[in-house]
Each structure stands twice: as C-alpha cells, then as structure tokens.
Amino acid sequence: MNIGILGYGNLGRGVELAIKANPDAKLAAVFTRRNPESVKVQTESIPVVHIDDVGNWIEKIDVMILCGGSATDLPLQTPKFAEMFNVVDSFDTHAKIPEHFAKVDAAAKNSNHVAIISVGWDPGLFSLARAYSNAILPNGKDYTFWGRGVSQGHSDAIRRIKGVKNAKQYTVPIDAALDAVRSGSNPELTTRQKHLRECYVVLEEGADAAEVERQIKTMPNYFADYDTTVNFISEEELAKNHSGLAHGGFVIRTGMTNENHKHIIEFNLKLDSNPEFTSNVLLAYARAANRLHSEGKRGCMTVLDIPPAYLSALDGATLRKSLV
Amino acid sequence: MNIGILGYGNLGRGVELAIKANPDAKLAAVFTRRNPESVKVQTESIPVVHIDDVGNWIEKIDVMILCGGSATDLPLQTPKFAEMFNVVDSFDTHAKIPEHFAKVDAAAKNSNHVAIISVGWDPGLFSLARAYSNAILPNGKDYTFWGRGVSQGHSDAIRRIKGVKNAKQYTVPIDAALDAVRSGSNPELTTRQKHLRECYVVLEEGADAAEVERQIKTMPNYFADYDTTVNFISEEELAKNHSGLAHGGFVIRTGMTNENHKHIIEFNLKLDSNPEFTSNVLLAYARAANRLHSEGKRGCMTVLDIPPAYLSALDGATLRKSLV
C-alpha cells in the first residue's frame, strides 16, 4: 500500500519510521504547509510536496495519514482530505469525537472513501481496552491512569502565564491509587488521589516566581484539583532533562460475576516515545483502511469498528495458527 | 437475543449467570446429555431439554453457546450444531484450531450460520492482545505467562499415575521472569524460568509416595522441563483448600520503533473464577454472532475477525461518546 504523510512533525517522522518497519507499506510522499525545500525527510528520494498540490496525488496514494494536531488542524483537515483519500487521524479531543465523526463520515461517504479517526493509544488502544472489558464485565468499574509523561495541554497552559518562558508538565499516576484499584477493592478515587502534576518552569528575567507558582497551582481544571509541584529551572536544564517524549498509562476494569467472584482486566503501556508509538498504531489502521476500502466499505469508523485481523499484514490462516 | 446453553457444567452455569447480568440476553433452554430431570438450573422456569431433542428448538434460539470440553466434546459438537444454530465455543487446544476452524466453517457456511470459535481468555482475549500488539510493534518479542491457577490438563496427567487418588496442579508464573520482561530487556527465557508447577496430590492407601513424586517430576512435556513441587495432602485438605477456580495471566510484547525507543504493551487478567469469566466472554461474542448473522455474515470466525463494537449492547454513537 502507498502511504502519504500529511504534516511532518514528531508524528509524521514517526510514521516514516513505521513504514520502514512494515514491508507491505511504501511511503509515496510527504505533504507540508511549509516550503517543501525546507523540509528534510529521513527516507532517500521521497518527494516533499506542498499541501496545495495534494490533488495531483489522488491516484498514487492508498491511504493518507494525517499527522496534524487535534486543536486546530484535524477538525478541518480530516473532513477535507477524506474527500480525496482514505484517511487515518489521531484526533484526541475526547469530548469532540462525536462531532468530528459526523463531519468526517459525511465527507468520506460522499466521496466513497474510508476514514478511521481517533487512532493512537488514548483514544485508540485504551478505547479498545475499555470497550472489550465493559462488554465482558457489565457490572464493574473503569479506571484510566496516564503517565508518567508530558501533557502537551498542561504544558501549554503554563506557558500562557505571564512571566513564563518555557515549561513542561508531567502527569504522574499515584502508586497507592493504582495498587488500590489492582487489589479489586473498587475504590472511589478523587482527581487528587489518582494523579500528581509535576511542573518544570523556566521564568522570564525578572518574573515573580511566587506569583507564577500561585497562578499554576490555582488554575481551574488544569491544576487546582491536583497536588501540583512547581520546579523552577534553567532553559538549559529543561532542554537537557525534560525533552523526552516518554509516556504511558493504565486502563483497568474491575467487575463481579457473582457476589463472590471478582475479576480484574488490566491493559498498560510503557512508551519511550509517545509519537513513535502512536505512529505505529496509525500505520496498522492505515492497513485496515486500505483493506476495508478494497472490500467496498465506506465512511468513518473508529478503532471499535475494525476487526483486529485487519491490522495485521498476515492472512487469517497464519494468524489463527500463530496468534490465536 | 435468545440463548441456548449446551452442556451444563461450570461453564454452562457461568453462562447462565452472565445472561442474568446482560438485559439484552434471554436464556431459552439448557441442553444436556444427562437425564434432564436430574439437572437443576439456577433460573426459574427454564426448560432443561435432552440433547436429542435440540432439533425442536431451531426457531427459538438465536445463538447456542457450546459449553463442552475441548478434548472430546467440541471437536464433534461445534461442527454438528453449527448446522442447526449460530454457535459460540471455547475450543482451547491451540494446535488444533486450524483444523477445528475448517470443519466448523464448512458446516456453518453450508447451513447459513455464524460460528465463533476459541472464545475465552486464552485463546480469546490473549489472542487479541497478541494480534494487536504484533500489528503495532512488528519488531518485538511476545511473552505469555499463565497463572497462578489450576491447569486441568496437568491435574489430569497426575491423576493418571498409579497410586494417585486425586490431584490439583497450579501453574505459577515466576516473578523474576515477569520483572525481566517488564523491564524491556527482551530476555530469552527457558520454560523453567517462566513458570513453576505446584502439585497437591492425594495418594491411594498404600501407594509409594516417592515413586509417585518421581513419576510426576520426570513426566515429559508436562513436568520434566519445570521446577515442580509435590505436596501430599489428604482428600479433605484438597477439597477445603484447592477447589477454587481462580486463574489469570499476562501477555506482554516488547518492541522497538528505532534503535533507542523501547515500548512495552501489557495485558493481564486476575480472575476469581476462570469458568465464570470465560462465560462472560462467550456471551459477549454470542451477541456479536447474532448481529453478524442478522447482517448476512456466514461461516466460522475467531475473535480476531470481530469488530469490538459488536460485543457491546450499546450502539455506535453511545460507544463513541462514552468509551472511545
């Protein structure tokens, strides 16, 4: 299958790596809003094309992987490019998934394409874990923990405070809460009991550290409901110790099948690179999009609509023999 | 959907419990090879029917859940009853899944039914974990650990030794091996390094304990490659302390996306009742079988062929809103 990458940041570079690891996938071109001359890709002799010229590639690309951000790029890009290509995106604004789905579904059906949205690990693999475990244990309780890893949204929120030059925020799951969940005791956990927020902040010259710390710790939704620590560090230290992209998390469902029998289903991830892992999930679902399209399926889907076998390059008989 | 239960042992009783927990499912009848008068079910006014009369129920049952054993029952029953009903089974002899699939597929296609085989947790949810994680991390290594839980096959093997009156064998994953895998070090683990085998044996009067222990510990395939402990206990103690049905296990895949970035995907289960949990998985896939049949799908499938959304009683829009 011929893959296009639209948007060449961390995610786009990750998809490029993923394509190298999957012999049935071939990178056709990288599309960018920047000056294509200024974009250096990792794969030799791959064209870098300006996004305005994407229309010339309609016959040459089986699936376009959209590597833009969820805040402003994907809400416009996914419906737009679903008119031209089979597409896969990693739209991750949970509350807006129904609205995004509706727009992309209309575009994909209108133009006879397949679109798979909200692919990654949360939403994505964590959605799968929640869906399977809810179907199997209807009488139970879900817990999702994230981290330890940088939250882009919370880091951005800190950077918007006056006097802040740069910042990184780690979401950290609290071990005691995880242990309580894994014990099967079905605890009621407050926001504060589940996660810590660890902030590393570089101040502008002359900024009031105490005031910045106060503003962070009292920020509604983002920090006020959490135990938050604020560490002021230099730009050099931030670059040296806090530019990693590691992340991970846990989805746990506990449930009963009768009054005495408790069951615990846990799915967890420990990732050295959040974007590279997400890229691999995107590529597996690009394979599914391509197959579903060739079978005549049309419209928008999420990971919940895709048979797991469609993610694999192996055929059904091989999968049954080796993995079932 | 109207469910039939064929075979009324631990699994059949578990399916009956699962039906009570799922309002969209209704138990139509229980089918047995025994004298129906001798079978007491847990649900009031549910008919218990002799298996020879199953033909009278073809119009009244949407999905028949086959609750027999994999050794001798299911290889015959699943192809046979797939001629009459949509069926779901928990066939778990991994090496014979391709052969079982072929027979069931022919029967189901011939009679326009859907059959889903090898449903449970291994095969079943563990197969899903392996398939998803292999598709996402093509350069990696799989590890499956089972337990702590009773292995029926190993307990049976001990019971066949002369001088043994009764026995239970626990498969126990070794923590050091699990820790090594979770560290991402990609260890090469021998059979002996992964699991212990813990045996509780009741001797016949006058049996030679040392000889029984020797025969267990040297039994090829079952015990010779493992560190095995043998404990001789009384029938009363076996009944009191070793009649639980708890089980569980771990599927872990570790893989790299470039030379420096390691990723660990883990799925684990901790189950108070192996048959009750398996029953809940069976019921979720019965729901999928019913839907797939009503959409015109035919033939045999495994868990890898089923979109996760089909397991849920919730519709797509609700799932997208609440679980993606």
Side-chain angles (χ1 to χ4, degrees), chain B residues 259-308:
Chain B
E259 57 276 23
N260 301 314
H261 292 152
K262 195 167 62 192
H263 306 279
I264 304 172
I265 305 178
E266 173 172 343
F267 179 73
N268 71 61
L269 295 172
K270 199 175 151 201
L271 313 174
D272 276 358
S273 166
N274 181 357
E276 284 179 17
F277 186 82
T278 300
S279 300
N280 273 264
V281 184
L282 283 165
L283 187 67
Y285 279 94
R287 181 179 288 125
N290 189 41
R291 286 205 194 153
L292 289 162
H293 186 257
S294 72
E295 291 177 3
K297 292 284 193 310
R298 301 295 182 256
C300 188
M301 303 171 205
T302 73
V303 296
L304 303 188
D305 304 307
I306 315 291

Side-chain angles (χ1 to χ4, degrees), chain A residues 17-18 21-22 94 97-98 101 117-118 122-128 130-132 134-139 142 182-184 257-258 260-274 276-277 280-281 284-285 287 297 300 302-313 316-317 319-324, chain B residues 17-18 21-22 94 97-98 101 117-118 122-128 130-132 134-139 142 182-184 257-258 260-274 276-277 280-281 284-285 287 297 300 302-313 316-317 319-324:
Chain A
L17 266 181
N22 286 275
H94 287 265
I97 288 173
F101 182 93
I117 61 160
S118 300
D122 193 4
L125 302 187
F126 277 18
S127 320
L128 290 168
R130 287 186 285 263
Y132 279 115
N134 273 267
I136 290 159
L137 294 176
N139 298 322
D142 286 321
R182 284 179 175 149
S183 77
T257 50
N258 73 9
N260 302 314
H261 291 153
K262 193 168 63 193
H263 306 280
I264 303 172
I265 305 177
E266 173 172 344
F267 179 74
N268 71 61
L269 294 173
K270 200 175 151 199
L271 313 175
D272 276 358
S273 165
N274 182 356
E276 284 179 17
F277 185 82
N280 273 264
V281 185
Y285 279 94
R287 181 179 288 125
K297 292 283 193 309
C300 188
T302 73
V303 296
L304 303 188
D305 303 307
I306 315 292
Y310 279 63
L311 308 190
S312 174
L319 285 173
R320 282 191 292 277
K321 206 177 157 180
S322 60
L323 293 179
V324 173
Chain B
L17 265 182
N22 286 275
H94 286 265
I97 288 173
F101 183 93
I117 61 160
S118 301
D122 194 5
L125 302 188
F126 278 18
S127 320
L128 290 169
R130 287 186 285 262
Y132 280 115
N134 273 266
I136 290 160
L137 292 177
N139 299 323
D142 284 322
R182 284 180 176 148
S183 77
T257 49
N258 73 9
N260 301 314
H261 292 152
K262 195 167 62 192
H263 306 279
I264 304 172
I265 305 178
E266 173 172 343
F267 179 73
N268 71 61
L269 295 172
K270 199 175 151 201
L271 313 174
D272 276 358
S273 166
N274 181 357
E276 284 179 17
F277 186 82
N280 273 264
V281 184
Y285 279 94
R287 181 179 288 125
K297 292 284 193 310
C300 188
T302 73
V303 296
L304 303 188
D305 304 307
I306 315 291
Y310 280 62
L311 307 190
S312 174
L319 285 173
R320 281 190 293 277
K321 204 177 156 178
S322 61
L323 292 178
V324 172

Side-chain angles (χ1 to χ4, degrees), chain B residues 26 28 31 40 46 65 73 100 179 187 194 242 255 270 319:
Chain B
K26 198 169 154 280
F31 300 88
K40 270 267 165 294
I46 291 301
I65 300 184
D73 298 332
H100 188 58
D179 289 346
K194 287 181 69 188
H242 302 284
K270 199 175 151 201
L319 285 173

Side-chain angles (χ1 to χ4, degrees), chain A residues 1-186:
Chain A
M1 55 177 173
N2 292 305
I3 302 289
I5 293 174
L6 199 148
Y8 196 69
N10 282 334
L11 206 54
R13 276 190 293 272
V15 171
E16 190 179 5
L17 266 181
I19 290 170
K20 289 182 204 232
N22 286 275
D24 65 329
K26 200 170 152 281
L27 178 56
V30 169
F31 300 88
T32 179
R33 281 177 298 208
R34 291 177 271 168
N35 174 2
E37 306 278 329
S38 73
V39 174
K40 270 263 165 297
V41 299
Q42 307 156 87
T43 317
E44 256 180 68
S45 71
I46 291 300
V48 179
V49 179
H50 193 270
I51 203 170
D52 290 346
D53 300 327
V54 72
N56 302 330
W57 289 79
I58 288 182
E59 297 301 315
K60 296 170 208 155
I61 285 173
D62 296 310
V63 185
M64 186 71 90
I65 301 184
L66 304 176
C67 298
S70 294
T72 56
D73 299 332
L74 298 174
L76 301 173
Q77 287 181 347
T78 314
K80 177 175 169 186
F81 294 109
E83 294 273 2
M84 305 162 79
F85 301 99
N86 298 316
V87 296
V88 179
D89 82 14
S90 63
F91 184 77
D92 67 0
T93 313
H94 287 265
K96 294 187 177 167
I97 288 173
E99 178 191 334
H100 188 58
F101 182 93
K103 281 187 196 154
V104 175
D105 192 46
K109 282 192 175 137
N110 183 49
S111 61
N112 286 320
H113 289 109
V114 167
I116 311 181
I117 61 160
S118 300
V119 170
W121 58 274
D122 193 4
L125 302 187
F126 277 18
S127 320
L128 290 168
R130 287 186 285 263
Y132 279 115
S133 59
N134 273 267
I136 290 159
L137 294 176
N139 298 322
K141 203 161 155 50
D142 286 321
Y143 299 89
T144 302
F145 292 86
W146 298 272
R148 186 179 192 262
V150 168
S151 159
Q152 214 46 63
H154 288 79
S155 302
D156 288 345
I158 298 173
R159 283 192 286 259
R160 283 192 294 265
I161 295 173
K162 202 182 149 218
V164 171
K165 192 173 166 200
N166 205 345
K168 285 280 168 84
Q169 190 271 179
Y170 294 91
T171 304
V172 185
I174 297 175
D175 283 341
L178 256 173
D179 290 346
V181 169
R182 284 179 175 149
S183 77
S185 69
N186 268 23

Side-chain angles (χ1 to χ4, degrees), chain B residues 84-98:
Chain B
M84 306 164 78
F85 301 98
N86 298 316
V87 296
V88 179
D89 82 14
S90 62
F91 183 76
D92 67 0
T93 313
H94 286 265
K96 295 188 177 165
I97 288 173

